[in-house]
Amino acid sequence: MEKQTHRVGKRKNAIARVYLRPRTGETGKIRVNGRSFEDYFPRPTSRMIIMQPLELTQTVGRFDIVVNVMGGGLSGQAGAVKHGISRALLLIDPAYRPPLKKAGHITRDSREVERKKYGLAGARRRFQYSKR
């Protein structure tokens, strides 16, 4: 692989543009919105989610990953980055498809927040009933 690959990942309201480039230093770096990966995602579970496709395909440290992510919260953004990395890995080597598919990393998680309905306190929650 001599040039970068680019893919888009999505989860909830978050959209991540992921660029995989051949690594330039000793180990591959992950940059998210111009900041380091550990700095942008302080929660260890978010970092674990993002690293799952790389660990599954044994490509940790083989690429410099640059991510532009927007929308949603940190949890949705982590899922979007995971989805984008998984899709970009498929462009690099189609042999990664079976393990990524089995782990469910290729499928876009389509769950969205249900909209609030009129006459209700939330999407489904009713206002408190008062007898008197």
Side-chain angles (χ1 to χ4, degrees):
M1 183 180 106
E2 54 276 341
K3 59 181 186 199
Q4 74 176 8
T5 59
H6 167 258
R7 275 289 175 211
V8 173
K10 295 180 180 181
R11 172 125 199 327
K12 292 187 177 179
N13 282 332
I15 299 171
R17 291 184 307 232
V18 178
Y19 301 88
L20 260 62
R21 300 174 178 151
R23 77 167 180 238
T24 53
E26 293 290 317
T27 59
K29 293 189 189 98
I30 302 176
R31 307 279 297 163
V32 180
N33 289 354
R35 291 158 56 186
S36 74
F37 160 68
E38 292 83 9
D39 186 37
Y40 193 84
F41 293 105
R43 211 176 295 145
T45 51
S46 298
R47 285 187 239 147
M48 180 200 68
I49 287 169
I50 291 168
M51 295 303 286
Q52 281 175 344
L54 297 170
E55 290 165 354
L56 196 65
T57 56
Q58 285 127 22
T59 54
V60 176
R62 277 185 45 198
F63 305 105
D64 284 337
I65 302 171
V66 178
V67 180
N68 292 325
V69 65
M70 59 189 346
L74 286 178
S75 173
Q77 287 184 351
V81 172
K82 177 185 87 166
H83 186 228
I85 289 172
S86 300
R87 292 183 64 198
L89 285 170
L90 290 181
L91 287 179
I92 291 162
D93 189 359
Y96 294 146
R97 185 171 180 83
L100 287 172
K101 181 109 173 118
K102 188 171 185 229
H105 297 320
I106 298 170
T107 308
R108 193 249 198 244
D109 190 350
S110 61
R111 294 176 294 173
E112 295 280 338
V113 175
E114 191 174 342
R115 80 174 191 88
K116 183 195 174 303
K117 276 68 165 202
Y118 60 89
L120 298 181
R124 297 185 182 202
R125 179 156 168 22
R126 313 292 205 271
F127 291 111
Q128 184 171 340
Y129 173 72
S130 172
K131 194 179 237 183
R132 281 172 199 89

